[in-house]
Amino acid sequence: MADETLYYEDFEEGRAFESAERTVSAEEIIAFAAEFDPQPMHLDEAAGKASILGGLSGSGWHMSSIAMRLFYDSVVSRTAGEGGPGIDVMEWRRPLIAGDTVRLTIRVKTRRPLASRPGIGLVTMEHTMMNQKGERIMRMEAPVLIRMRNQHSAEADQ
Amino acid sequence: MADETLYYEDFEEGRAFESAERTVSAEEIIAFAAEFDPQPMHLDEAAGKASILGGLSGSGWHMSSIAMRLFYDSVVSRTAGEGGPGIDVMEWRRPLIAGDTVRLTIRVKTRRPLASRPGIGLVTMEHTMMNQKGERIMRMEAPVLIRMRNQHSAEADQ
């Protein structure tokens, strides 16, 4: 089953996927921040501790990019996907602190066939990132385009 | 003026900031994708050309992270900011193709003082990324927390 490609039909509303865990190092946090978001709390331990974040903490964009990778490894890599047009909402709720181990739960929120592109549907998923303490540190809702397994019957259903 | 720190009071609704330009190389696109979003159209020229994106194209998360860096260099680096809680909306409208030169326009959309944190306001900005053809490739709305220059008078105003 794990080797089978997932199509639109497989993303029933409410279906959930769990990612693997990933531990995020200080070195990764600093490297990402140096390139994309060089604010002091993302670059320096002392500056992070002095901030409201309480420690060397990853950029929100780093957290989001790590979520993308966890989503890729657990779902996208085995899905007949056609990319995503954007993000409906992203909440960075708590800091990602160096050394944290995170994992992602992906849940199908809604789905609908695309009238403009027969054979393709839009599946909106909710992504929740938890740390090793069980705290929800990130929540996102984002749509993805996914091909249908059986394009003709799906069109006929509309 | 460019050396002065920007505070909440400086972010009048409608005020706009322009970033510098940045050319994005194939090497950067591939390096980001290999780490965070290893879909074929982000890793390989031929796969990109065969996809609806029409060329080796950056991950949406890469585009967003580049926007963060352009925002940092033009605004955040000289602002009394306290970070951002998330993203209200993100639209990846057109692909970021290897070799494209992009720039960001940041416009203040709304702002309000935070009742829960006197002396700090929430400023929501609209970010628009354009490529060298003048095409709008990304649009985002996101709030940022910014300290007030004069906390006491601002509190008295509430």
Side-chain angles (χ1 to χ4, degrees), chain A residues 6-11 17 67-68 71-72 75-89 104 106-114 117 119-127 140-148, chain B residues 37 39 41-42 52 61 90 92:
Chain A
L6 298 174
Y7 290 89
Y8 176 81
E9 291 85 342
D10 301 311
F11 290 83
F17 302 86
M68 176 66 225
F71 179 45
Y72 175 85
V75 178
V76 176
S77 57
R78 59 192 178 104
T79 295
E82 294 280 336
I87 308 165
D88 289 343
V89 64
L104 197 70
I106 303 112
R107 188 179 300 273
V108 178
K109 199 173 176 210
T110 58
R111 65 171 179 178
R112 62 180 174 83
L114 276 186
R117 297 183 63 189
I120 292 184
L122 192 74
V123 180
T124 297
M125 303 189 216
E126 178 183 53
H127 302 246
M140 173 175 77
E141 292 178 18
V144 181
L145 299 169
I146 301 178
R147 291 198 300 278
M148 295 174 183
Chain B
D37 190 0
Q39 299 186 73
M41 64 280 199
H42 304 320
I52 58 167
W61 298 103
M90 170 74 77
W92 297 315

Side-chain angles (χ1 to χ4, degrees), chain A residues 48-111:
Chain A
K49 285 205 167 132
S51 80
I52 58 167
L53 301 174
L56 177 66
S57 66
S59 168
W61 298 104
H62 192 191
M63 205 187 303
S64 299
S65 296
I66 289 169
M68 176 66 225
R69 181 56 189 258
L70 295 174
F71 179 45
Y72 175 85
D73 288 339
S74 54
V75 178
V76 176
S77 57
R78 59 192 178 104
T79 295
E82 294 280 336
I87 308 165
D88 289 343
V89 64
M90 170 74 77
E91 298 166 7
W92 296 314
R93 290 171 168 256
R94 286 170 176 270
L96 170 68
I97 302 291
D100 278 356
T101 298
V102 298
R103 61 187 174 78
L104 197 70
T105 299
I106 303 112
R107 188 179 300 273
V108 178
K109 199 173 176 210
T110 58
R111 65 171 179 178

